[in-house]
């Protein structure tokens, strides 16, 4: 099988280097595997062999293909044995000084046309190449763990990278069965940059006491369709990994508020409460099993009061139909009666602000999140304000749980939970397009493959309306007075003229 690079070198025999070696050998390349610790190379060769044997047992590779792949992986006792490689991929510790020193050595060993690729996840490709005689042949080639399963690879051009180098790496990624995406040399590249909104906004919501970790996770899984809640995800990754990335991107963007980390995460890292690996994180783990606090049942209410819906409620017609389906007695007057449960459905505003602006009795006012149509969700989310009476809260909870759909009741929050998180994700993605970090198409591909979101962030914006997302952001900025929520010009302009966020400029 022909490949753009018939013989490649891999420096670093850890999990990442081993994963790259696996897909490269399976694609037909001879792989020279080097590590400063020879036993790491031998261990990697054994583990690769065992992995291919398992694939054969499962019928996913035949005996001839397994034997050929094993023969293509050759241990290298020194860097000099990489001299004839057309491509060398570095997969060593994430330290700029170590990577620069390694490439300086390799430049004296490999041929003048050989490509040097770094698998860095957070360091500048330009900085790594700086000081080399031929920085134009250095590029980023960022794979994700586990490499055979995570099918996306970021191809990153440094400031001086020859475009032909990225073209070759792109073709090779396809040969290995991966999907390449092109990124400029910027903090976090695509996936780690686009992923800033999910965890940091969830941490901010928790820090405000809006809801506990488990409730926030339930809402984002059931209402927005994420596979893992943010706190489940951080426990799985480990805060010792995810928090430094949050801090690094925040600092590299000179303390940009959109990427601001959380003191909650910093405190947990300091205390060694890191997630699954320490049996305690945002959840506790017993024998590796997540311990989730039970969800409180819907309250038993003798009689549901009549319901009045704000004239400014989002999806007002849908809300009326839902109330009718749930058997509620709906008031249709210009203002609620003295007994009515008052429902508001704001975008971005908190329940308190709406009650004040619309001159409603806050004691009887409850909010419902209707950014996403009710029929598309597996959970309803209600919010009280500081003055909401317990009987009105319980009545709303009981009413919206009548058909068996779970209901979460949270404390007052501009944008509830889903609105805040989705709008933050969409806004960061839009600003990445504004900065020309990557194309909209590559952004969507990278995020869906690299982060497993239910939709790419720009598709999320289109799905629930750029105008609605803009309204959420403008109103969040009003409620919190925080530039974190200022809309990206890319989003603002497209929202204003009703243009798809996925449409590129001519």
């Amino acid at each position: 099988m022909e490949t753009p690079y018939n013989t490649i070198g891999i420096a670093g025999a850890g999990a990442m280097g081993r994963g790259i070696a696996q897909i490269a050998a399976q694609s037909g390349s001879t792989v020279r595997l080097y590590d400063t610790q020879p036993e790491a190379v031998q261990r990697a060769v054994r583990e690769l062999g065992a992995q291919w044997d398992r694939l054969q047992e499962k019928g996913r590779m035949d005996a001839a293909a397994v034997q050929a792949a094993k023969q293509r992986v050759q241990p290298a006792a020194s860097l000099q044995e990489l001299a004839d490689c057309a491509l060398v991929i570095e997969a060593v510790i994430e330290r700029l000084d170590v990577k620069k020193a390694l490439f300086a050595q390799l430049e004296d060993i490999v041929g003048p046309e050989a490509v040097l690729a770094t698998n860095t996840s957070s360091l500048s490709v330009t900085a790594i190449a700086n000081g080399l005689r031929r920085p134009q042949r250095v590029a980023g080639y960022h794979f994700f763990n586990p490499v055979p399963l995570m099918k996306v690879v970021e191809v990153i051009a440094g400031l001086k990278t020859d475009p032909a180098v990225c073209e070759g790496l792109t073709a090779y990624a396809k040969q290995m069965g991966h999907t390449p995406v092109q990124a400029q040399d910027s903090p976090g590249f695509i996936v780690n940059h686009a992923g800033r909104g999910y965890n940091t906004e969830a941490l901010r919501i928790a820090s405000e006491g809006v809801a506990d970790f488990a409730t926030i996770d339930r809402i984002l899984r059931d209402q927005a369709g994420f596979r893992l809640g943010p706190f489940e995800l951080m426990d799985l990754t480990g805060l010792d990994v995810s928090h430094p990335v949050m801090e690094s991107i925040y600092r590299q963007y000179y303390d940009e508020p959109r990427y601001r980390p959380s003191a909650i995460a910093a405190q947990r890292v300091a205390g060694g409460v890191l997630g699954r690996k320490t049996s305690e994180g945002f959840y506790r783990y017993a024998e590796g099993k997540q311990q989730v606090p039970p969800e409180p049942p819907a309250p038993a209410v003798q009689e549901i009061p009549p319901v009045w819906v704000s004239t400014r409620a989002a999806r007002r017609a849908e809300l009326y139909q839902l109330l009718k389906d749930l058997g509620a007695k709906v008031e249709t007057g210009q203002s609620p009666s003295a007994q009515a449960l008052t429902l508001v459905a704001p975008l971005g505003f908190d329940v308190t602000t709406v009650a004040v602006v619309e001159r409603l009795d806050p004691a009887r006012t409850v909010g419902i999140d209707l950014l996403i149509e009710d029929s598309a969700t597996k959970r309803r989310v209600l919010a009280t304000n500081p003055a909401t009476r317990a009987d009105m809260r319980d009545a709303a909870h009981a009413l919206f749980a009548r058909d068996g759909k779970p209901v979460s009741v949270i404390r007052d929050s501009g944008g509830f939970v889903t609105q805040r998180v989705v709008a933050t994700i969409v806004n960061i993605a839009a600003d990445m397009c504004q900065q020309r970090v990557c194309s909209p198409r590559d952004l969507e591909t990278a995020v869906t493959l690299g982060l497993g979101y239910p939709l790419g962030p720009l598709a999320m914006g289109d799905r629930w309306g750029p105008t609605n997302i803009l309204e959420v952001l403008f109103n969040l900025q009003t409620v919190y007075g925080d530039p974190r929520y200022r809309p990206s010009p890319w989003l603002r302009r497209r929202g204003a003229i009703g243009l798809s966020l996925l449409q590129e400029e001519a």
Side-chain angles (χ1 to χ4, degrees):
M1 182 186 299
E2 291 188 4
T3 69
Y5 302 105
N6 293 322
T7 303
I8 73 165
I10 297 176
M16 186 65 73
R18 186 172 66 249
I20 299 170
Q22 179 180 337
I23 62 171
Q26 288 175 198
S27 75
S29 293
T30 297
V31 178
R32 305 262 170 79
L33 186 57
Y34 170 77
D35 196 283
T36 54
Q37 298 178 332
E39 63 272 16
V41 176
Q42 297 302 326
R43 183 168 57 250
V45 171
R46 288 195 304 272
E47 291 179 4
L48 283 170
Q51 175 66 20
W52 283 318
D53 288 340
R54 286 192 292 271
L55 290 175
Q56 182 181 344
E57 291 170 6
K58 294 177 181 178
R60 293 168 61 184
M61 288 180 73
D62 60 34
V66 167
Q67 186 62 26
K70 289 179 178 179
Q71 290 176 349
R72 291 189 192 109
V73 179
Q74 302 173 355
S78 67
L79 280 177
Q80 280 70 25
E81 293 186 32
L82 309 185
D84 65 338
C85 293
L87 165 67
V88 178
I89 303 172
E90 163 274 309
V92 301
I93 188 172
E94 194 74 348
R95 276 179 45 185
L96 181 60
D97 59 337
V98 173
K99 293 179 187 291
K100 285 177 68 72
L102 174 61
F103 278 170
Q105 287 179 276
L106 286 168
E107 191 170 42
D108 291 332
I109 294 170
V110 299
E113 301 303 318
V115 171
L116 302 178
T118 171
N119 186 59
T120 183
S121 61
S122 62
L123 299 175
S124 164
V125 175
T126 301
I128 291 170
N130 186 37
L132 296 178
R133 295 188 301 276
R134 293 188 179 88
Q136 66 271 17
R137 61 169 168 178
V138 179
Y141 212 29
H142 181 211
F143 293 82
F144 295 82
N145 242 337
V147 176
L149 299 180
M150 298 292 285
K151 294 293 188 178
V152 65
V153 56
E154 295 173 325
V155 181
I156 304 115
L159 196 60
K160 296 183 179 180
T161 304
D162 185 338
V165 168
C166 290
E167 290 171 9
L169 292 173
T170 296
Y172 190 42
K174 292 177 181 177
Q175 183 69 47
M176 291 187 286
H178 273 47
T179 301
V181 290
Q182 302 278 342
Q184 293 302 315
D185 189 15
S186 57
F189 310 129
I190 303 176
V191 174
N192 282 331
H193 187 164
R196 291 312 88 215
Y198 192 50
N199 292 347
T200 60
E201 192 62 23
L203 284 162
R204 186 179 172 97
I205 291 167
S207 73
E208 293 172 13
V210 172
D212 59 32
F213 306 133
T215 298
I216 295 170
D217 278 350
R218 288 184 184 113
I219 290 170
L220 289 168
R221 285 196 316 266
D222 294 349
Q223 194 170 48
F226 290 96
R227 274 188 260 176
L228 289 175
F231 299 103
E232 292 175 309
L233 181 60
M234 285 184 279
D235 271 5
L236 181 64
T237 305
L239 272 181
D240 56 330
V241 175
S242 56
H243 181 64
V245 173
M246 294 182 214
E247 289 189 320
S248 173
I249 292 178
Y250 177 62
R251 295 300 180 193
Q252 286 183 76
Y253 271 104
Y254 298 99
D255 296 3
E256 163 58 56
R258 290 190 183 109
Y259 313 127
R260 189 184 300 124
S262 168
I264 292 177
Q267 181 189 45
R268 286 167 178 267
V269 170
V273 182
L274 307 177
R276 286 181 179 270
K277 64 180 69 175
T278 58
S279 298
E280 185 178 6
F282 296 105
Y283 297 89
R284 292 183 180 275
Y285 297 85
E287 298 180 353
K289 187 175 181 182
Q290 180 182 338
Q291 306 299 296
V292 182
E295 187 169 6
V301 174
Q302 292 282 338
E303 185 177 354
I304 303 292
V307 180
W308 182 87
V309 177
S310 165
T311 57
R312 301 180 188 180
R315 301 186 185 276
R316 191 164 180 252
E318 289 180 34
L319 182 53
Y320 269 125
Q321 184 60 51
L322 174 60
L323 290 169
K324 180 180 177 181
D325 293 343
L326 293 172
K329 179 181 178 182
V330 180
E331 293 187 357
T332 56
Q334 288 297 310
S335 58
S337 69
Q339 295 77 38
L341 164 64
T342 304
L343 285 180
V344 297
L347 294 176
F349 279 130
D350 56 1
V351 178
T352 300
T353 299
V354 175
V356 171
V357 169
E358 297 188 20
R359 298 186 177 183
L360 304 172
D361 179 3
R364 295 184 287 120
T365 303
V366 173
I368 181 169
D369 184 1
L370 287 175
L371 172 68
I372 302 171
E373 61 271 30
D374 182 75
S375 61
T377 71
K378 297 178 181 178
R379 177 175 298 272
R380 299 184 181 116
V381 178
L382 307 176
T384 59
N385 69 76
T388 303
R389 293 194 329 236
D391 63 319
M392 289 294 171
R393 176 200 65 207
D394 290 350
H397 188 168
L399 172 62
F400 283 103
R402 271 183 174 174
D403 60 357
K405 183 176 283 193
V407 175
S408 291
V409 181
I410 63 173
R411 296 182 182 88
D412 210 359
S413 164
F416 300 87
V417 171
T418 294
Q419 290 180 25
R420 288 177 65 163
V421 172
V422 167
T424 300
I425 289 171
V426 173
N427 196 35
I428 287 173
D431 211 57
M432 289 173 67
C433 295
Q434 182 69 49
Q435 296 174 39
R436 302 300 193 266
V437 170
C438 58
S439 69
R441 182 183 299 276
D442 275 0
L443 191 151
E444 295 291 283
T445 299
V447 170
T448 50
L449 291 178
L451 295 175
Y453 286 1
L455 293 170
L458 301 178
M460 276 186 207
D462 281 353
R463 173 71 177 78
W464 295 309
T467 303
N468 288 339
I469 299 296
L470 267 180
E471 184 174 349
V472 170
L473 290 166
F474 280 130
N475 292 341
L476 282 171
Q477 197 173 6
T478 299
V479 170
Y480 291 102
D482 191 336
R484 173 183 182 85
Y485 301 111
R486 70 193 189 284
S488 165
W490 175 280
L491 174 60
R492 183 171 53 78
R493 292 173 184 134
R494 281 155 180 75
I497 59 180
L499 192 67
S500 165
L501 299 183
L502 289 165
Q503 184 169 329
E504 299 190 44
E505 295 180 18

